[in-house]
Each structure stands twice: as C-alpha cells, then as structure tokens.
Amino acid sequence: MRRRDFLNALAVVAVGACSNEPTAVRDPPITRSGGPAGTADAGSSTSAPTTASTTTTPTATVVPLEDPTPSLPESIFALGVASGDPAQDSVVLWTRLIGDVPATVQLVWEVALDEQFGTLVATGVVDLVESYAHAAHVLATGLDPGQRYWYRFRSGGQVSPVGRTRTLPAPGQPTGVFRIGVGCCQRRDGGYWSAHQDVARADIDLMIWLGDFIYSESRSRPLAGRAHTGPDPTTLATYRARYADYRADPALQASSAAHPWMLTWDDHEVANDYDATVDPKRRAAAFQAWWEHQPTRLDPPGDTFEIYRSADIGGLGRVILTDCRQYADGTTLLGAQQQAWLGSELDHDLPWTILGSSVLVGGLLVPTQRDPLLPYTWDGYPSDRAWLANELAQHPNRICVSGDLHVGAALVVRADPADRSLPIVATEFMAPAISSALSDDYTKYLPLIPL
C-alpha cells in the first residue's frame, strides 16, 4: 500500500495530552456492520419501566413536547451530555440526572438540524429509573445518513447543555474524507485534560475510545486539584461515584458533547490488569456502572455483557471494536465466541478495515529478554495474533488502533513480530494517553524496542 493512497483514504486523528500540545496522526477510512443489539433505554430491562419514546422522520413537522416533570434542582444535568454508537439513521443520546430527583423521572429529548432548535426533527419522552442511576440511553431514529444534528434534554424545568452529533454515511453516499479521533487512558489524578479541549474543537466525524475511561486506583500523590473523590471503587455505588467524578470535568464534557463516540474498555474500568479471574461481583458492578455512563446502544448488563461490536462508514470500510480484557485467561485473549465473531466481521468487501484493540497488537520486543514485555497484550497470545494476522491478510487496507501503553507509536503488524521475513499485514497506530504517564518499568526499554 502506498503512503499517498493511505493518506487519501481517511484521516485518523490520535490526540494525547501528557503535555498541553496534542499529537496528531492523520491517516485511514471506515463503516458499520450489523450494529449492536438493542435500543438500551434506561428503562429497557425487565426490572424497570419501559421507555415511552417517540421518534419522527426529519421531513416531518415536529412540535416540541411539554415537560411532564415537576420542578427539579438546577444541577440535575451537571454530568453533561454525550452521543454514541451512530448508524446511518440513528444515534444514541446520553445523559444522567444527579441530585435530589424522584425514583422515576420523565425526560424530554429533542433532536434538531440547528443549534438553536429552530428545526426540530425528532423528540420523545423517556422514563429514567433509580435502578440505573437515572441514566438515559435514547435511540433517536428516523434520521438522515451523513447528517449533523444537535440534541438536548429537558426535565423538571431544567434544560441540559446542547450536544452535537452525526449519523454515519450510507453506502452509496459520497463520503470524501472521514476523520476519526482516537483516545485512551485519562487518569484524572495524574494529569490535566487539555487534549479533550482539542477533541472538542477538532473537525472529526467519530471519536473512538480504547479504554481506561476511569481509573479504579488512586495515586499516592495526585496532581493539585485532580485527586479522586471518595474511596477506590469496588461496589456499584463507588463505581458510580468515580464515573460521576470524571464526567463532571468540563473538558471531558466538551469533547463528549461535540462528537459521537464509540467506546470499548481496558482494565482500569474494573481493576488494574484484571482478567477473567476477577471477583464476579466486582466485575458486575463495574460493568453496570460503565454502561450507565456511556452513550452506547448495548442493552444493560445481565448474566453476560458482550461489548464487542462494529460500524460501517458508508462504502469506505468497517470499524471493529474488540474486548481484550473480559475473556483473557492466559490461554485465549478474546475467548472462542468473540474470536469467531471477529472472524465473521473481518469477512467483508469494503475497502478498509479499522480494528480497535485496547492493547498493543504489533508487539514490543526487547532483544535481551525472552519473555513478552507486555504479556497481557497480543504478545502474550502468539497463536491468537497469528490467527488475526492471517485474517487481516485477506484484505488490502488494514489499520489497527490501540491504546494502554501511554505513548504514541506507529508500528507494523506481522504474525510474529520477531520474524521480519513475514509479510506486514497491517499498520498500527497507538494513541498516546490523555493524561496517564508511561510507567518507569517500561521507560528503560524504549531505546531497545524497534518501533
């Protein structure tokens, strides 16, 4: 693949902020395949009231709905708004009410063609319930492909901040350049979030998040004004509090409101370096809190919670997000079911494949060390990587985007990174951290690692 062809196909923006200056890498293309299951309203489980929502097509005349909820405090929208998991005709709208609110609250949502809401195209009412922390996951449908929209919420006489979102282009729709932001690792007590301010201002069409949205552990010496509030989380209540701590940050609120997001997780959403052996009760609490605070169309967690999913962007290509933590057990990184799903998702005829992995794919090798430097990454699962390399080799343009290591890097992917006679099957871009520092354990190896 020629570099010029690669640059012309799509623009990927990788934003980091260990300093106040963003790091940008512009490159690839993308798409949505059989989207995530369910509409995932806040009341869509069997234990909570179902959502009473209404959607209309953008060509219809839509009349604003009356706010049915009695007066509520001004601070109910203090965690901001977000949108995510876009499709050609729909997108998920998110917020979470906090403060002194009833057990069940009715929320009006609105989608418009302009920031002033002069042309309303969709609206409805949703029930938010205490059992899901009064989180809203509204699936706004009947939208046009490749279109920018603005959205907001109203309840109890209060109006939320206005968010901006965008649907994905249709297969036959002219796309031009499609820009993607890539981010990960935002340790609140370890740094400042100027990168999110850059994301909010950036001209991107989709933000991909590759994990470590929160950190479940606290630094012994946090930066000034950035200390975590409350104890490190192990229960649903404490995970909710940690997410609220992060979601209250103005910079994160700005980037969340500016673009649609598509998210997966890494380890710190549960516990440092956790795997399939983590305490099931703690994992269940962490999974529910993650769902409650993200703009995803996934159904609420139950006995299982499969977050791997994909999205097709017009006729350009397919974005595939994997889960590299929940199923890792020392034998398999993805688990048999997810690996079979990934194989089917990689079997497509679109020009580009963008594979999102929370951990490094291409490999970091230290010549003086036989064991993997990062055994929890694909380095620790050589047979899984060999399988993935064979699957990726079937397509002409393959990009991997990854996170976790807190450095920006560009690498190549082979079935075995130690064997340079093997063909390159993909180019990998590792997104630098938003605010997490590179561990001293790895810094000493950097001069020895061939990137």
Side-chain angles (χ1 to χ4, degrees):
M1 177 179 56
R2 295 178 303 172
R3 181 176 182 274
R4 181 179 61 191
D5 295 336
F6 175 72
L7 292 173
N8 287 341
L10 180 69
V12 168
V13 184
V15 183
C18 289
S19 68
N20 287 333
E21 294 297 325
T23 300
V25 179
R26 293 193 175 270
D27 281 283
I30 318 198
T31 311
R32 170 168 292 262
S33 76
T39 59
D41 294 307
S44 62
S45 80
T46 56
S47 61
T50 55
T51 299
S53 61
T54 304
T55 59
T56 59
T57 61
T59 56
T61 300
V62 178
V63 178
L65 299 177
E66 292 187 6
D67 178 0
T69 304
S71 179
L72 292 175
E74 293 182 1
S75 60
I76 59 170
F77 291 113
L79 300 187
V81 300
S83 67
D85 280 352
Q88 298 172 23
D89 61 352
S90 62
V91 67
V92 173
L93 310 178
W94 174 91
T95 191
R96 177 194 163 193
L97 305 189
I98 62 171
D100 185 14
V101 297
T104 300
V105 181
Q106 289 190 301
L107 180 75
V108 177
W109 58 271
E110 297 176 326
V111 179
L113 291 176
D114 59 299
E115 192 171 3
Q116 292 72 37
F117 288 78
T119 307
L120 197 64
V121 299
T123 187
V125 178
V126 60
D127 290 336
L128 307 187
V129 294
E130 189 174 36
S131 58
Y132 287 133
H134 296 105
H137 295 78
V138 173
L139 183 62
T141 62
L143 307 179
D144 289 331
Q147 173 68 49
R148 176 170 289 175
Y149 294 96
W150 283 259
Y151 64 94
R152 67 185 178 188
F153 303 92
R154 295 186 286 115
S155 186
Q158 308 303 322
V159 181
S160 75
V162 173
R164 182 181 64 184
T165 192
R166 183 188 291 272
T167 52
L168 298 181
Q173 185 177 14
T175 304
V177 173
F178 192 95
R179 292 185 171 87
I180 299 175
V182 184
C184 64
C185 305
Q186 55 182 14
R187 183 162 196 151
R188 188 183 187 278
D189 59 358
Y192 302 98
W193 291 353
S194 57
H196 279 302
Q197 298 170 353
D198 293 309
V199 170
R201 292 190 293 262
D203 180 17
I204 60 176
D205 302 295
L206 178 68
M207 182 68 180
I208 293 179
W209 186 260
L210 296 173
D212 291 345
F213 192 91
I214 63 166
Y215 275 70
S216 55
E217 313 81 25
S218 298
R219 286 169 57 113
S220 58
R221 292 185 295 175
L223 293 187
R226 303 294 290 177
H228 286 146
T229 302
D232 288 347
T234 57
T235 65
L236 180 56
T238 51
Y239 276 112
R240 283 172 171 171
R242 182 61 51 92
Y243 274 99
D245 204 19
Y246 278 55
R247 280 286 183 191
D249 186 273
L252 176 57
Q253 288 190 15
S255 66
S256 296
H259 318 288
W261 285 48
M262 193 174 175
L263 303 97
T264 188
W265 56 36
D266 196 22
D267 58 329
H268 291 287
E269 286 89 348
V270 179
N272 183 41
D273 287 338
Y274 96 95
D275 56 22
T277 64
V278 72
D279 175 57
K281 291 183 178 180
R282 181 176 185 182
R283 180 175 60 188
F287 286 5
Q288 178 168 336
W290 181 89
W291 178 85
E292 290 172 347
H293 292 84
Q294 306 301 359
T296 176
R297 67 174 70 200
L298 296 168
D299 286 327
D303 294 335
T304 61
F305 192 32
E306 299 165 2
I307 72 163
Y308 47 87
R309 57 204 190 280
S310 66
D312 287 346
I313 295 178
L316 284 178
R318 178 167 295 172
V319 175
I320 304 171
L321 290 189
T322 57
D323 178 354
C324 296
R325 291 291 185 176
Q326 180 178 179
Y327 310 103
D329 60 4
T331 303
T332 173
L333 180 66
L334 302 179
Q337 181 173 318
Q338 181 181 191
Q339 183 167 315
W341 169 86
L342 179 56
S344 66
E345 291 298 302
L346 290 170
D347 184 16
H348 65 80
D349 297 324
L350 296 165
W352 288 83
T353 298
I354 310 295
L355 177 67
S357 169
S358 62
V359 296
L360 185 72
V361 180
L364 292 181
L365 301 179
V366 179
T368 58
Q369 183 171 312
R370 296 186 61 182
D371 294 331
L373 179 61
L374 305 172
Y376 61 88
T377 71
W378 292 83
D379 278 348
Y381 299 85
S383 60
D384 285 10
R385 181 164 52 201
W387 170 85
L388 177 64
N390 181 66
E391 294 291 319
L392 290 173
Q394 311 306 313
H395 301 277
N397 303 312
R398 294 87 58 183
I399 301 298
C400 296
V401 289
S402 59
D404 172 71
L405 195 54
H406 310 162
V407 296
L411 311 92
V412 296
V413 179
R414 294 182 172 92
D416 180 355
D419 187 352
R420 297 199 171 195
S421 68
L422 295 176
I424 296 172
V425 300
T427 303
E428 180 174 3
F429 294 98
M430 174 173 282
I434 295 292
S435 59
S436 302
L438 178 65
S439 170
D440 292 338
D441 294 339
Y442 304 139
T443 303
K444 61 185 178 183
Y445 292 118
L446 288 183
L448 302 175
I449 298 171
L451 297 180

